[in-house]
Amino acid sequence: MLSADLIAREALALIDAEGTAAFSLPRLADRLGVRTASLYNHLDGRAAVVEGVRRLVVEEMDVSAFAVLPWPDALAAWARSYRAAFARHPHAIDLLATTTISSPATLAMYEAVVAALARGGWPRERLVAVLTSVESFLLGSALDLVAPPLMIDPAGHAPRVPVLAAALRAAHDGDKAARADQAFEAGLDALIRGLVAQSEELRGGGSG
Amino acid sequence: MLSADLIAREALALIDAEGTAAFSLPRLADRLGVRTASLYNHLDGRAAVVEGVRRLVVEEMDVSAFAVLPWPDALAAWARSYRAAFARHPHAIDLLATTTISSPATLAMYEAVVAALARGGWPRERLVAVLTSVESFLLGSALDLVAPPLMIDPAGHAPRVPVLAAALRAAHDGDKAARADQAFEAGLDALIRGLVAQSEELRGGGSG
């Protein structure tokens, strides 16, 4: 029985298997064994399918830490679950990063994040900037997961880029996953430390 | 007269005008008024064109600050020019973020960054993680520039997400560019502050 949820799941499966470029309503209808027009009985066009896909990815992200941990720790926990969700659906990144968010489930996730930041003392006019900058780092880190195993390949040019070549050899040589994890954890730690410092400054040098 | 440089410039113009999905060697040949096979007289296939496109975008990024400023300030200057370059070529982001980097000009840019970090005291085995984490933030921030004017639209759901709705109203309501700039500068400041703190810790609490 066709439903908006089933259509979204099939759309995500299609994107996972073949990438965003392959995602179209006719392709989706074909996979579901229905005519394209039938999809419109269940949802309101392409944007609604994208929102359905977003809901499925967002359901894999965990905001529960915001209810129990201080915001810097909760932000780190959410960030790890966010990256892990996109690691499972890497082709969804550019689709979801560039379409307007309007589904209740996704809005609820952002509400959990900004409400925790507000309780932690961040002024209202800074909340969107903090959320956006953390999400920029997360989306970029997710893109790194889709990158080739050796993203930078000095090859024959190594003698002209000696520090880079040595740095690449020293950074978990040959193990892309470990290198990506190290970069993500280091960047997340730096970003959150910096946010804590900004927050303390805004509160007049208090303990944050 | 066809050349690798001209082909790269036409490829970038095609991507700028129509997006990555429109980029193919036959389309490119068509714009240049030659047969696809003729392209191969000037370069070695699609990957070579992508590297040519990357070189053009990288030429718009400025590493000169690394020669004259302390690494945290130089990193901020480079980051701003990096984001500005992708702001002019937003459709190139996902293409360049997910293909292997091997062109001398791009390698030279990364060499300038990691060599400055090394001079600033970062140990060799941390250089790639610092570079990657900063670049993840930059790529994600560049994606934010391609996002719709109102990325999060609570619309009818506002009563259920009160903090988010108020935060969106407070954050340069209606002015997407100002909101994106504020988020980028706040995130960049936080990330670099955090990196400075990490660097000082690695050096045993010195002045960085």
Side-chain angles (χ1 to χ4, degrees), chain B residues 10 14 24-36 39:
Chain B
E10 196 62 35
L14 171 61
S24 69
L25 294 196
R27 282 292 311 274
L28 187 54
D30 191 50
R31 281 176 70 111
L32 289 160
V34 301
R35 284 168 303 131
T36 305
L39 297 178

Side-chain angles (χ1 to χ4, degrees), chain A residues 21 54 93-94 96-104 106-108 110-111 114-115 118 124-144 146-155 157 160-171 179-180 182-195 197-198 201, chain B residues 21 54 93-94 96-104 106-108 110-111 114-115 118 124-144 146-155 157 160-171 179-180 182-195 197-198 201:
Chain A
R54 190 196 310 281
I93 298 167
D94 55 336
L96 300 187
T98 54
T99 47
T100 300
I101 295 157
S102 62
S103 69
T106 312
L107 293 171
Y110 289 120
E111 175 73 7
V114 295
R124 179 182 286 180
E125 66 275 13
R126 297 289 295 263
L127 295 175
V128 171
V130 174
L131 174 64
T132 306
S133 60
V134 172
E135 199 163 23
S136 288
F137 173 69
L138 296 177
L139 286 173
S141 300
L143 273 181
D144 186 39
V146 203
L150 188 60
M151 186 64 198
I152 303 179
D153 181 10
H157 306 288
R160 267 176 296 171
V161 290
V163 184
L164 182 63
L168 286 165
R169 280 194 303 274
R179 204 160 53 212
Q182 186 199 25
F184 174 72
E185 287 296 334
L188 183 62
D189 176 77
L191 185 56
I192 291 179
R193 278 189 198 212
L195 290 173
Q198 286 179 349
E201 214 168 78
Chain B
R54 190 196 309 281
I93 298 167
D94 55 336
L96 299 187
T98 53
T99 47
T100 300
I101 295 155
S102 61
S103 69
T106 311
L107 294 171
Y110 289 119
E111 176 73 8
V114 296
R124 177 183 287 179
E125 66 275 14
R126 297 290 293 263
L127 295 175
V128 171
V130 175
L131 174 64
T132 305
S133 60
V134 172
E135 200 164 22
S136 289
F137 173 69
L138 297 177
L139 286 173
S141 300
L143 273 180
D144 187 39
V146 203
L150 187 60
M151 186 65 198
I152 302 179
D153 181 10
H157 306 290
R160 267 176 295 172
V161 290
V163 184
L164 181 64
L168 285 165
R169 280 194 302 272
R179 205 161 51 210
Q182 186 198 26
F184 173 72
E185 288 295 335
L188 184 62
D189 175 78
L191 184 56
I192 291 179
R193 278 191 199 210
L195 290 173
Q198 286 179 349
E201 213 168 79

Side-chain angles (χ1 to χ4, degrees), chain B residues 4-31:
Chain B
D5 185 63
L6 181 63
I7 294 168
R9 287 182 191 282
E10 196 62 35
L12 184 54
L14 171 61
I15 292 164
D16 285 347
E18 303 184 36
T20 311
F23 169 60
S24 69
L25 294 196
R27 282 292 311 274
L28 187 54
D30 191 50
R31 281 176 70 111

